[in-house]
Each structure stands twice: as structure tokens, then as C-alpha cells.
Amino acid sequence: MTTALRRLRNYIDGEFRDAADGRTTEVVNPETGEAYATAPLSGAADVDTAMAAAEAAFPAWRDLIPAERQKVLLKVADRFEERAEELIAAESENCGKPIALVRSEEIPPMVDQIRFFAGAARMLEGRSAGEYMDGFTSIIRREPVGVCAQVAPWNYPMMMAVWKFAPALAAGNTVVLKPSDTTPASTVLIAEIIGGVLDELGHSRGVFNVVCGDRETGRLMVEHKTPAMASITGSVRAGMQVAESASKDLKRVHLELGGKAPVVVFEDTDIPKAVEDIATAGYFNAGQDCTAATRVLVQESIHDEFVAALAKAASETKTGPVDDEDVLYGPLNNANQLAQVKGFIERLPAHAKIEAGGEQVGEKGYFFAPTVVSGLKQDDEIVQHEVFGPVITVQSFADEKQAVEWANGVEYALASSVWTKDHARAMRMSKALDFGCVWINTHIPLVAEMPHGGFKKSGYGKDLSAYGFDDYTRIKHVMTSLDG
């Protein structure tokens, strides 16, 4: 007997709908490599309908006092907590994430982030009113930008959806959100939750819409005449395409793209503690994280000791089924990503050495062993390009100057970390490292109050924090004559 596939649908103007032309794609469970659901492969008609719904809902949502938008987001956060097990199950099945880790590491911060932006809705700041010309008073209005076209990635589909819709809705915008074609399940459930809250509180459900589909669907959204802003978390290539498409009508663009985080370890660091934390930050979520600690630079005096300890840590790191509470990570998200990671290993230069892992694990699904590669040079492919898998590379540097040169010597500039007991050195490095975030003696913690975003080919704009909230607003100058 063949088990019927679950049917996911778009959420447009408060209704669950199939694609207008009936097209679908299969959704695969990466733990088994088998399809378990279908999702709409949305086209131009679906995008038009969603944009029209968001546009129609915008004036009333924009004109709400901030306290009313705050009520919506606070209730959404409450619903996330109440329906946490449903969200966990959807995310785990769709992404292959360990259930225990989704419960402990994703649900609490997502709820906190929604509540943070609920508060931010009532904290719009601007320069004080004043007279800058005799007889006139100037004030600043901070307003929502309009309809936002948002595209979320497959590595954290649920959390990245929160990072997008929460600040956008808090600021008074309406949203059309597209999840990745490989991970639509939790986003569709989020639409059900938000739609229910909007309906309960008497607001148009067109405020928030979800359109499933592929890259072509995303392109149609970005090029559509309605959105005032396009926001994407994804690859550098995708970000460039979005920026090019948006330039045709000068849409505002918010890009959070790839990363190649340097992890700079000096000889005075606590090696066992550093290895433990770096291995966790490198292998968490199977290394499928733009900020993952996967490019380690170690001072040459401790290189051999560090590599041996890291290889041991890798051998003790466990990957496996989502219901195993002892695993740190599950499978890679999809077959293409598994092939990409394997390709990096297969193309390693002769001078590279695999210290641990380096192979696929299991007979089904997309599991890959925790891997450590040493002996690498600065211009090696695996050093310069994002692997997005459970692979940590190690290079040996001579001094601080070389460490800075190699750390900055990539096209990405999202996150970095420095490991040292020397405070002055840590301060010098935090200034010299050309990355949007510098962690000192830690790697990967994020908080709602602080910004996340990079430079160079890692994109522009910020997620989280008041800076991320500001990105979803526009500034208007109003000048009044005092003559009456």
C-alpha cells in the first residue's frame, strides 16, 4: 500500500488554497529521503492574489495604534507556546532536526523574539521636534514601508520566518512570505496561527500571507509591482539575483546571505574549553548555519594539540534520528546539500588531511559525519567558500597580523570569534575583524536585543534588535509654518 502524501497549501487572505494551476512539489523528510507531503508550486496568479490581499489589508494595519499591533504579536507568541509541540513536530519532520533541540533551542528564542518586536512596535524613536529655520518647526515621522515580500531559507525555516514577519508586522507593514521549497511545513502552520489571531482580534487576515514555491516563485514576488521591500535570507547568488530584480523598480532590499566565520584561536586560550564550544558551534544544525564555527585559525604553537583535541571531539559528536536525545544534529536538509558537502570533500587538495569523518553516514537519509580537515591553505576552495555542512577546517597562523589577514581574506563578512585570555588582544581583534559580529571566547549566541547581519557578500540590513525593526520603516520629514 502507498501512504497518501499530506497536502500543504498556500495561505492567502485568510484561506488555505492550492496553486491556481494545481501544480505541486514533493516535500521530503531528510531523515528518510522519502516524500511525506506535497506543497503548492505557486505561479504568477498566486503571487498576484497574495499581493492584492496584502495591499488591501495594509491601510487599516498601518493606521492601527502600535498598542493594537503589539496585542496581535503578543497573542501570536502565546499561541507559539501553546502549540509548541505541533511546531516542533513540523520543523523536525521537514528539516530532520532533533526534536529535543528544536524544543530547547528554537521555540524559546522565537517566542522571545516575537515578544521583543511586540514591544518595539511601541518604541519608534526619532530626533526631537525643533526649529531649524526661523518661523518653522520640523518633526520626523517614522512609517511602515508597505507590503513586504519575504523569502525564508531552509536551514531555520521557522525561526527565520519569525525574524522576518515579527519586525515587519510590528512596524505596520503587511507580509507575503515564501518558505523554501524544501521546508514549507512549519511556515504553513505559522500562517494558521497568525491568521487565527488576526481573525480573533478582528483584523484582516490579509495582513499575513504565505505562498509556497520555488526560485521562480520568489522571483515573481520580488519583481512584482506591489511590494515596497524585498527581504531574503539565502545564498549569495540568490541575494544578487534579488538585488538585481529589485533594482528594476528601486525596491528596498534587505539581504542576509552566506557566511564563512573565522574562529581565531590564540595560544593562550583554554584549549579543552575552546574545543568543546567550537565543536558545538561548528556541528550544531549539521553546520547549516551562516554563522557556524567551521573555519578555525589556530596559532601554530598549539596547532597539533588543538587539532588532535578537535578530532577527538568530532569522533564523539553524535548524529542520528530526530527522536534520539543524545544527538547534536540530524541529517543535512536535502539531497542537493548532501551532494555539495560530499563534493567539497572529494575535491580536497593533496596537502589537506581529513582528521575525522569525511563520509556519509547510514543507508538512508542525508546524514554526514562530523568532519575535521587540517593542512589547508588560504586559497583552498574549502577555506574560501561556504560548505554549509558539519565540516570544520583548520589552518595554522604565525602571529596576530597573519590571523587578521587570513580571517578577513574571504568574500563573506557575517560573523567571527576570537579566543584569547589577553583583553587588549581581544579588543584589537574585534576592531580589525571585518565582520558584522565578533564573539570573544564564545561563538554563536544571539539575543533579540542585538543586531545580526553582515558586510561584503554576506549582504546588508540587520535582523533582530531595534536596528532590524528600523529596516522595516521609512522616515518622513514634516515642516510646519508657525505663522498659522
Side-chain angles (χ1 to χ4, degrees), residues 67-85:
E68 294 301 313
R69 293 197 296 270
Q70 181 189 47
K71 287 180 184 178
V72 171
L73 287 171
L74 288 176
K75 193 167 284 290
V76 168
D78 291 343
R79 294 289 185 271
F80 267 55
E81 286 185 322
E82 293 164 10
R83 302 183 66 176
E85 293 306 313

Side-chain angles (χ1 to χ4, degrees), residues 11 79 190-201 205:
Y11 187 81
R79 294 289 185 271
I190 287 171
E192 179 186 327
I193 292 172
I194 295 177
V197 170
L198 290 168
D199 194 44
E200 179 183 342
L201 296 181
R205 288 177 289 181

Side-chain angles (χ1 to χ4, degrees), residues 429-452:
M429 291 294 293
S430 66
K431 177 183 177 181
L433 289 171
D434 188 20
F435 294 84
C437 174
V438 181
W439 287 292
I440 298 174
N441 294 325
T442 188
H443 194 107
I444 225 166
L446 294 169
V447 292
E449 294 86 352
M450 289 293 112
H452 174 79

Side-chain angles (χ1 to χ4, degrees), residues 169-469:
L169 296 182
N173 305 286
T174 55
V175 166
V176 178
L177 173 65
K178 189 192 87 68
S180 168
D181 56 338
T182 69
T183 55
S186 57
T187 310
V188 172
L189 181 54
I190 287 171
E192 179 186 327
I193 292 172
I194 295 177
V197 170
L198 290 168
D199 194 44
E200 179 183 342
L201 296 181
H203 303 296
S204 169
R205 288 177 289 181
V207 166
F208 181 78
N209 307 271
V210 169
V211 174
C212 301
D214 59 7
R215 289 177 183 171
E216 176 62 13
T217 311
R219 183 189 67 79
L220 290 168
M221 287 174 55
V222 172
E223 293 186 356
H224 200 278
K225 62 178 175 31
T226 297
M229 178 175 178
S231 171
I232 177 176
T233 299
S235 67
V236 173
R237 180 182 65 176
M240 289 178 171
Q241 291 170 345
V242 166
E244 182 178 1
S245 296
S247 69
K248 296 174 183 177
D249 57 1
L250 296 179
K251 278 186 183 66
R252 185 183 296 199
V253 178
H254 183 281
L255 303 175
E256 199 277 270
L257 309 177
K260 194 68 181 174
V263 180
V264 184
V265 182
F266 286 95
E267 61 186 358
D268 63 339
T269 196
D270 180 338
I271 293 177
K273 181 66 165 60
V275 165
E276 178 184 0
D277 291 354
I278 291 167
T280 300
Y283 296 133
F284 186 81
N285 203 41
Q288 298 170 128
D289 190 313
C290 297
T291 64
T294 55
R295 181 167 66 105
V296 179
L297 306 172
V298 182
Q299 195 155 19
E300 57 189 14
S301 58
I302 61 166
H303 173 270
D304 293 351
E305 180 184 357
F306 185 92
V307 169
L310 185 60
K312 184 175 184 294
S315 68
E316 295 171 351
T317 299
K318 188 176 180 182
T319 181
V322 300
D323 58 356
D324 185 340
E325 295 191 0
D326 293 329
V327 303
L328 178 64
Y329 68 90
L332 294 166
N333 179 258
N334 55 75
N336 288 340
Q337 189 58 29
L338 175 62
Q340 174 170 305
V341 174
K342 291 168 71 174
F344 273 101
I345 298 301
E346 291 165 358
R347 295 189 300 272
L348 283 173
H351 55 261
K353 180 182 178 183
I354 297 176
E355 303 280 355
E359 71 280 330
Q360 185 175 352
V361 177
E363 297 180 358
K364 64 178 183 179
Y366 310 132
F367 294 90
F368 201 83
T371 299
V372 177
V373 182
S374 67
L376 293 163
K377 299 179 180 179
Q378 180 66 11
D379 59 356
D380 286 336
E381 177 196 32
I382 200 169
V383 169
Q384 290 294 317
H385 298 284
E386 189 173 34
V387 178
F388 224 55
V391 179
I392 297 178
T393 63
V394 183
Q395 298 168 259
S396 174
F397 69 84
D399 53 29
E400 189 175 318
K401 179 181 178 182
Q402 188 175 62
V404 170
E405 178 185 350
W406 285 358
N408 290 340
V410 294
E411 294 183 328
Y412 305 90
L414 182 58
S416 59
S417 64
V418 179
W419 301 75
T420 180
K421 296 176 183 177
D422 185 331
H423 178 74
R425 174 189 284 153
M427 291 298 96
R428 290 194 302 271
M429 291 294 293
S430 66
K431 177 183 177 181
L433 289 171
D434 188 20
F435 294 84
C437 174
V438 181
W439 287 292
I440 298 174
N441 294 325
T442 188
H443 194 107
I444 225 166
L446 294 169
V447 292
E449 294 86 352
M450 289 293 112
H452 174 79
F455 316 132
K456 294 160 60 173
K457 286 191 176 179
S458 289
Y460 42 80
K462 298 296 182 183
D463 288 314
L464 302 176
S465 79
Y467 300 100
F469 181 62

